[in-house]
Amino acid sequence: MRILPKTVSAGVYTGFLALLAIAPWIFSVIDEPFYLDLLSRGLILAIAALSLNLILGYGGMVSLGHAAYLGIGAYCVGIPAYYDFYNGWLHLGLTVLVSGLFALVTGAICLRTKGVYFIMITLAFSQMVYFTFVSLEEYGGDDGLVIYLRSEFPTWLSMESPVALYYWIFTVLLITLFFIHRLVHARFGRVIVGSRFNEDRMQSLGYSTYRYRLTCYVISGVICGIAGMLLGNFTSFISPEMMGWTRSGELIFMVVIGGAGTLFGPLVGTAAFVFLEEFLSYITIYWHLIFGLMLIALVLFGKGGIHGWLSAFDRKEKRG
Amino acid sequence: MNQPLLEVTDLNKNFGGIIATNRLYLSVEQGQVHAVIGPNGAGKTTLISQLSGQLKPTSGRIDFEGRNITGFSTARRARAGLARSFQITSVIMPMTLLENVMLAVQGSDGHSFRFWSSVQRDSAMIDAAMKSLVEVGLDDRADRIAAQVSHGERRQLEVAMALAMGPKLLLLDEPMAGMGSEETARMVEILSGLKGDKAILLIEHDMDAVFSLADSLSVLVNGHIIATDTVEKIRNNSDVQRAYLGEEHA
């Protein structure tokens, strides 16, 4: 049996996941609890980026409205909590139901369009959700909503302490990674990938591509909704701000920086994004400027994002 | 009399004021190779697109195996047994030849709402795909990326994909388009191998290929079929020679 990973990239990712698994312990040893917060937030965004990558990277459906699902998930925690319903299964069930339904209805319309029109219409729907929550005075409107307690789960599943919540997030991340890995290599995933490159051809091969793409869109929405549910629990304060279109744009950055259409790309992309955001904003308040320049450079010169660079090492190894 | 496999009745297609298909009647019998020839712009590809469902006819009726399929989507026609190859090569470029053909096998093998088992371990599907690649002589290149093989090989891949769908009727839109003479000979050989086994509707410019492959022949001019007959009779039909074969063969 092979113990060492086959390639450089696989090695890096395995090491990365192993580090994430022991991160709370490391942070308690060096006594820097802030880093755990940062990492928890980063991993939630990574789950969202993974879900976006499923439609954007594998399916070629560039959505500029994916943050809506983060918001929907968060409010599926916030609104029940507002009425003192803290049952975690209720929150989770509601999240899956509402985000799935929203993806089904909007996806059914969005997927009738292509290219720029698809981008615009996904943006339009997410802005509709955004302004709906802004106008809901009962739930704080623009000012948002404070969640006083986290979702309640049985003791062994509790997300009360920061470390417990971190492992909740980490576990959801692992499940998402594994699920997407299986999905894209299964029959369903092959149809999604094939349709990205040549939808007409897929139809003439007998696939009703619309149904498959819509299903993929719903799966992606539900995963992102769950990320939103975790985000609601993590921040304990939610507002329409978290589903603004800039957040949707940031999710696209994360996917592209890491490498769209690759399993681990969005994960390392999110890590890079969160790190740069913290690091650059520490240096200057004009960090967006530097970040923007880096993005331009990446789009011009960096083929395939971080995953692309790592795979370049893989190929060199094979030749050498 | 036996029912034809494919029967087209009074098919019309207008693009604005342009009549691309005009009162077209056509039938293809079981196990026959039927060729459609005609000058550029006669509406050959428009015809194929209406048969495979990419274009909706303005009026008319298409029956396949005695079933009216005029309202069927492209995907549904494909599942009913109509397989099309494209004049302009249309394959999934970043995938390997094997993966391309596997997609064709998968498309004719029930629904694809299967989320868990990897297709890379589906030996039945791999075997079926390899069989089609062997038929067109591409089995030794199965793991090459479609974007990296030659034009002629991609044309062969088109045919392999159409074959892998296990179709009842192959719609081949200029399978020799843009090929060198050696590649054309190879393709004629491949198609001859299928003759008698599968019904084929062949659209082709290469007259030598058509004459050596087809059982019967229709001549399409300005969207209308002016003659349908055996290859021999068409060759000697003076109307056809004037309308199409022209200077070269008259």
Side-chain angles (χ1 to χ4, degrees):
Chain A
M1 209 187 115
R2 177 182 286 278
I3 295 168
L4 286 172
K6 256 184 257 183
T7 57
V8 176
S9 56
V12 170
Y13 297 142
T14 313
F16 191 60
L17 286 180
L19 262 180
L20 288 178
I22 57 164
W25 177 76
I26 298 174
F27 295 148
S28 76
V29 168
I30 60 172
D31 198 25
E32 289 279 8
F34 167 73
Y35 287 136
L36 189 64
D37 260 23
L38 188 65
L39 202 58
S40 299
R41 193 177 126 252
L43 292 196
I44 292 170
L45 292 177
I47 297 166
L50 283 169
S51 77
L52 176 62
N53 182 46
L54 188 57
I55 55 170
L56 187 154
Y58 290 106
M61 301 171 250
V62 183
S63 164
L64 190 49
H66 225 55
Y69 298 94
L70 279 178
I72 287 170
Y75 274 91
C76 282
V77 178
I79 292 176
Y82 179 73
Y83 295 109
D84 288 332
F85 291 112
Y86 287 104
N87 185 307
W89 299 115
L90 173 81
H91 293 171
L92 190 60
L94 204 62
T95 300
V96 171
L97 199 73
V98 177
S99 53
L101 216 59
F102 182 72
L104 184 67
V105 172
T106 60
I109 299 165
C110 296
L111 286 170
R112 299 200 176 273
T113 66
K114 286 212 163 58
V116 177
Y117 301 101
F118 183 83
I119 299 177
M120 287 297 125
I121 198 163
T122 51
L123 172 63
F125 276 121
S126 78
Q127 288 301 91
M128 274 169 57
V129 180
Y130 173 82
F131 284 111
T132 303
F133 280 103
V134 165
S135 66
L136 285 175
E137 291 296 335
E138 182 68 16
Y139 308 118
D142 231 348
D143 298 328
L145 198 60
V146 176
I147 300 171
Y148 293 100
L149 291 171
R150 285 192 178 142
S151 303
E152 280 168 1
F153 284 97
T155 326
W156 64 279
L157 265 177
S158 163
M159 45 170 72
E160 262 335 291
S161 75
V163 173
L165 181 62
Y166 175 83
Y167 279 112
W168 239 96
I169 298 164
F170 183 59
T171 308
V172 172
L173 177 82
L174 288 182
I175 294 171
T176 305
L177 276 172
F178 187 59
F179 177 70
I180 291 178
H181 171 72
R182 297 300 306 215
L183 189 79
V184 297
H185 288 98
R187 292 189 174 210
F188 180 79
R190 301 325 290 166
V191 179
I192 294 302
V193 174
S195 305
R196 164 190 171 197
F197 293 113
N198 197 339
E199 192 173 357
D200 288 343
R201 186 54 165 143
M202 291 301 283
Q203 284 172 358
S204 67
L205 289 178
Y207 298 102
S208 305
T209 51
Y210 178 76
R211 289 183 210 166
Y212 293 102
R213 284 160 70 90
L214 182 57
T215 307
C216 185
Y217 192 79
V218 172
I219 292 171
S220 166
V222 169
I223 295 174
C224 197
I226 293 171
M229 179 241 172
L230 295 171
L231 191 60
N233 275 296
F234 171 72
T235 57
S236 69
F237 167 74
I238 58 175
S239 77
E241 207 53 53
M242 58 205 293
M243 54 180 114
W245 69 273
T246 49
R247 172 47 52 85
S248 295
E250 283 169 7
L251 288 176
I252 295 181
F253 293 160
M254 294 170 199
V255 173
V256 173
I257 293 172
T262 63
L263 183 63
F264 283 95
L267 178 60
V268 289
T270 309
F273 182 90
V274 173
F275 172 77
L276 283 175
E277 189 182 34
E278 286 298 321
F279 178 69
L280 293 175
S281 61
Y282 175 74
I283 300 173
T284 164
I285 56 166
Y286 303 111
W287 70 274
H288 282 105
L289 180 67
I290 305 171
F291 185 74
L293 290 173
M294 288 170 115
L295 263 183
I296 293 171
L298 180 88
V299 171
L300 288 180
F301 308 113
K303 288 254 160 90
I306 299 172
H307 178 83
W309 306 333
L310 288 174
S311 315
F313 281 111
D314 296 349
R315 282 191 292 277
K316 267 181 208 148
E317 287 255 304
K318 264 185 196 167
R319 268 186 231 123
Chain B
M1 200 186 117
N2 263 350
Q3 193 177 35
L5 181 62
L6 176 81
E7 185 153 39
V8 180
T9 315
D10 195 16
L11 196 71
N12 291 281
K13 176 73 188 174
N14 304 339
F15 294 106
I18 297 162
I19 299 167
T21 307
N22 182 16
R23 286 179 287 118
L24 187 145
Y25 291 79
L26 178 73
S27 63
V28 180
E29 305 291 331
Q30 297 276 4
Q32 295 277 298
V33 178
H34 187 90
V36 174
I37 61 171
N40 278 327
K44 299 187 296 290
T45 295
T46 307
L47 170 62
I48 286 259
S49 293
Q50 289 176 85
L51 296 180
S52 63
Q54 273 97 1
L55 283 176
K56 296 261 165 284
T58 309
S59 68
R61 175 186 168 114
I62 303 163
D63 289 281
F64 185 63
E65 293 191 299
R67 211 156 38 131
N68 184 354
I69 61 160
T70 321
F72 282 24
S73 69
T74 304
R76 196 158 164 216
R77 288 180 204 210
R79 292 197 296 270
L82 266 167
R84 175 193 184 161
S85 83
F86 288 80
Q87 178 184 4
I88 297 158
T89 308
S90 180
V91 299
I92 320 281
M93 285 293 189
M95 291 191 179
T96 66
L97 306 193
L98 180 63
E99 285 170 331
N100 267 283
V101 183
M102 280 172 74
L103 273 177
V105 175
Q106 189 187 322
S108 55
D109 184 24
H111 68 77
S112 288
F113 287 104
R114 302 189 199 174
F115 302 94
W116 205 248
S117 327
S118 171
V119 292
Q120 286 153 346
R121 285 189 215 107
D122 190 336
S123 54
M125 199 151 95
I126 294 171
D127 291 348
M130 280 310 289
K131 196 170 145 263
S132 294
L133 284 173
V134 170
E135 273 183 276
V136 301
L138 281 177
D139 46 316
D140 57 335
R141 292 176 183 75
D143 291 325
R144 301 275 294 277
I145 305 285
Q148 290 168 357
V149 300
S150 74
H151 173 76
E153 285 166 337
R154 277 203 289 274
R155 304 294 309 167
Q156 285 164 247
L157 175 62
E158 279 270 352
V159 176
M161 288 168 80
L163 280 176
M165 294 163 69
K168 292 166 184 144
L169 175 64
L170 276 172
L171 303 170
L172 301 179
D173 192 359
E174 301 202 22
M176 285 81 158
M179 280 186 164
S181 58
E182 218 169 283
E183 290 172 325
T184 302
R186 173 95 193 91
M187 185 62 87
V188 169
E189 198 184 308
I190 292 165
L191 296 180
S192 314
L194 300 173
K195 208 175 148 166
D197 203 23
K198 288 243 183 309
I200 298 176
L201 183 70
L202 174 71
I203 285 187
E204 190 46 64
H205 259 309
D206 189 313
M207 283 306 125
D208 295 330
V210 168
F211 289 141
S212 71
L213 284 171
D215 298 304
S216 54
L217 197 57
S218 290
V219 182
L220 187 68
V221 177
N222 294 329
H224 188 66
I225 285 180
I226 59 164
T228 296
D229 219 321
T230 60
V231 171
E232 267 316 300
K233 288 194 176 141
I234 289 283
R235 263 180 150 163
N236 301 321
N237 181 324
S238 58
D239 282 348
V240 174
Q241 290 179 353
R242 217 172 310 121
Y244 178 50
L245 300 175
E247 323 81 62
E248 213 180 316
H249 288 254

